[in-house]
Amino acid sequence: MALPDRSTTDRTDPPRRRLSRAEQRELTRERLLDAAADVFNRLGYHGASLDAVAEAAGYTKGAVYSNFATKGDLFLALLQRYAVSRARVQGEAIMALPFDKLGEYASRALADQARAQEGWDLLQIEFWLAAMRDPVLRETLAGGSAEVWDELGEQIDRKFAEAGRPIPFTGMEFAKLINALGTGLLINLYIDPDFIEPELFERATRVLLGLPAERGSAD
Amino acid sequence: MALPDRSTTDRTDPPRRRLSRAEQRELTRERLLDAAADVFNRLGYHGASLDAVAEAAGYTKGAVYSNFATKGDLFLALLQRYAVSRARVQGEAIMALPFDKLGEYASRALADQARAQEGWDLLQIEFWLAAMRDPVLRETLAGGSAEVWDELGEQIDRKFAEAGRPIPFTGMEFAKLINALGTGLLINLYIDPDFIEPELFERATRVLLGLPAERGSAD
DNA sequence: GTCTATACACGGATAGAC
DNA sequence: GTCTATCCGTGTATAGAC
């Protein structure tokens, strides 16, 4: 299709010289990653061909291989760029909320997720699958998240202190439960949007926190 | 490897004649499915080659194609054979349990699952992924489970009646929540076996049911 | 009518030209 | 550092042996 617009590089272009080799390489790499994000999102990891990625970026297959060792390597770089620690973002949001609004926030996050992030969710799952059959990737996935959970757990513990009564979970336990529940619900919601009422997730969260949970229309 | 042991077919062999064409075909189909179960489990859908499946069954690739339209078709037949309604099995188990043992059962089921079913879980996820990108498969997946959830929900509703006090969920809601929570936890446990303490799932289940839940070692 | 043998297309990967 | 040419493996399809 259209070649990448060279003019977009102007902002990083000093007036005196053209791009250095390193800069040029970085630029190509970024273009390839952008194209890969689009192609992988649309076709999935296995469905996407490196030819398609290269063409979308305005290069040929060889350019891909000179920047990434393998298809899997490109995929990894992509996910890494995306994983700007969504958990951290959520952590900050949680700290800004009063204790009894946690369920509401979680519920809304789930709905947003289902609406906007479908492609990324699929790629996450595909990466998970690959990791399940590749010990090295598995290690990567397992090792990288411990600190994130620790931090998130601590923040929630501080929120729990607001409650003024015992909660049956530690902050980290609660974070992991909500994350797992959200993941499981999303998997089903993607296939069947009517799998649950939207408010069920919030109600479950309130019950887990020991907050009053009126059962709405059900039964 | 070793050719299939022909003698194992004797039990279905009437003394008067050899196998009819239909029987022979059915036998080949079963052997191919058995081999496919093994190969797909070990290598995953994309990782498995039809050559490998055929060889494991003692045939060549053409035999596969004369019994199944495509690789995806073989995969579907495999999942169908496996999906002997695990939900129904669980439903029966649940009915045999007193109300306050539901959490314990769910917890044990999760542990068993993680131990014995890893390969199948991966295949389920791969199928889910395929369905997410194929409208026909998606329909199949969404449509096939409604009755199962209905039935399971009813059974749990009857259990809830034993409790003698209101539960904040319908039986079906509870079933879906537990299923989603279990799925999400499993996904993480497969990557990191220490993701949660084994008893956390049971504790969460008890909290959702409003049962007393002592917080064990934590904090 | 079932399976073997073979052909073809496509995608990941590599080597070498420029 | 990018691109062309090429190799190999695998899904797909078909012709023909039995």
Side-chain angles (χ1 to χ4, degrees), chain B residues 25 28 60 62-63 66-67:
Chain B
R25 184 178 181 78
T28 301
T60 58
S66 80
N67 279 280

Side-chain angles (χ1 to χ4, degrees), chain A residues 129 133, chain B residues 32-54 56 64 68 70-79 81 118-124 126-127:
Chain A
L129 268 175
R133 294 202 156 94
Chain B
L32 286 171
L33 279 173
D34 288 341
D38 178 41
V39 175
F40 278 127
N41 256 302
R42 286 206 322 271
L43 305 176
Y45 177 72
H46 292 286
S49 77
L50 294 186
D51 267 330
V53 171
V64 176
F68 302 94
T70 162
K71 185 184 184 181
D73 194 48
L74 169 62
F75 188 49
L76 259 179
L78 198 62
L79 286 171
R81 199 175 67 156
E118 179 171 318
W120 282 111
D121 276 350
L122 295 187
L123 291 182
Q124 300 273 86
E126 282 188 306
F127 180 59

